[in-house]
Amino acid sequence: MEHSNREKLLDLFCRLAYKSGDFTLSSGQKSTYYINGKLVTLHPFGGLWTGQVLLSMLPEGTGAVAGLTLGADPIVSAVSVVSAYENKPIPALIIRKQPKGHGTGAWIEGPELAPNTNVVVLEDVVTTGKSALLAVEKLRDAGYKVTHVLTLVDRQQGGAELYAKEGLQFGAVFDIGEIQSYAKGIS
């Protein structure tokens, strides 16, 4: 039986990206595990399956996908490229962590879109949810409409609650429980 792209992506996450041990996260929190999503999203098949799975999760009327550099860069690119192959082209935007130091001083890289374009923010791993929220703010400041955040992995440490409080719909391909139980089965 052929495995779905989601299942193949789960397997890749558990084999390449999930590590247990002692780690400090970008939020400053300590953790007994770490997920480096870039090991999957920059893998040729990982990138393809990421693009296919997230594209299928985008809400009706999505005009662009965007995310905070660097974790979201390969994700928004993958979704955009896959969308072109499926003849439903969706542009990608990348939000800087600081404004560009020269030229236009822009926060957002990518094509200029019409005001009020529906932009979905994509993320590799959500912990507290703060990084994607920075992306949401910058996109809204630029005149875009943002109602959804999608992530590959939800660590279930406050992200969903933060987004709900901000009036954002939130979706995850995997939650940490599914990753951990699958990882146990292959170790």
Side-chain angles (χ1 to χ4, degrees):
M1 192 187 101
E2 195 187 315
H3 290 291
S4 73
N5 292 338
R6 186 185 179 281
E7 288 172 83
K8 293 187 279 198
L9 200 54
L10 176 62
D11 188 66
L12 214 52
F13 256 97
C14 293
R15 290 180 194 281
L16 301 182
Y18 179 84
K19 302 279 178 272
S20 35
D22 290 311
F23 302 96
T24 303
L25 307 176
S26 66
S27 62
Q29 293 175 312
K30 299 284 186 210
S31 177
T32 56
Y33 68 91
Y34 181 69
I35 298 169
N36 182 352
K38 291 176 280 300
L39 296 174
V40 171
T41 59
L42 290 166
H43 179 284
F45 288 107
L48 175 63
W49 299 328
T50 291
Q52 291 168 326
V53 169
L54 285 172
L55 181 64
S56 74
M57 291 171 69
L58 292 178
E60 198 63 45
T62 298
V65 290
L68 196 66
T69 197
L70 180 92
D73 296 2
I75 300 173
V76 299
S77 301
V79 170
S80 186
V81 168
V82 169
S83 76
Y85 270 100
E86 298 197 5
N87 216 17
K88 294 181 279 208
I90 295 173
L93 303 172
I94 291 171
I95 291 87
R96 297 169 169 277
K97 289 183 178 161
Q98 281 96 29
K100 192 171 181 174
H102 58 280
T104 57
W107 279 93
I108 300 172
E109 292 296 340
E112 264 189 53
L113 308 169
N116 285 320
T117 296
N118 285 317
V119 181
V120 175
V121 169
L122 305 180
E123 186 66 289
D124 57 354
V125 179
V126 164
T127 304
T128 63
K130 287 196 176 80
S131 353
L133 211 54
L134 177 63
V136 171
E137 280 165 26
K138 294 302 168 197
L139 290 159
R140 286 177 172 167
D141 289 349
Y144 300 127
K145 196 169 144 204
V146 186
T147 55
H148 288 73
V149 174
L150 297 178
T151 188
L152 291 170
V153 182
D154 179 10
R155 289 181 57 117
Q156 298 181 309
Q157 289 178 276
E161 295 74 6
L162 179 67
Y163 300 141
K165 213 166 65 194
E166 298 289 332
L168 292 158
Q169 302 277 317
F170 175 57
V173 179
F174 310 111
D175 65 47
I176 191 55
E178 186 177 9
I179 297 248
Q180 288 175 323
S181 65
Y182 189 94
K184 276 192 190 93
I186 61 175
S187 55

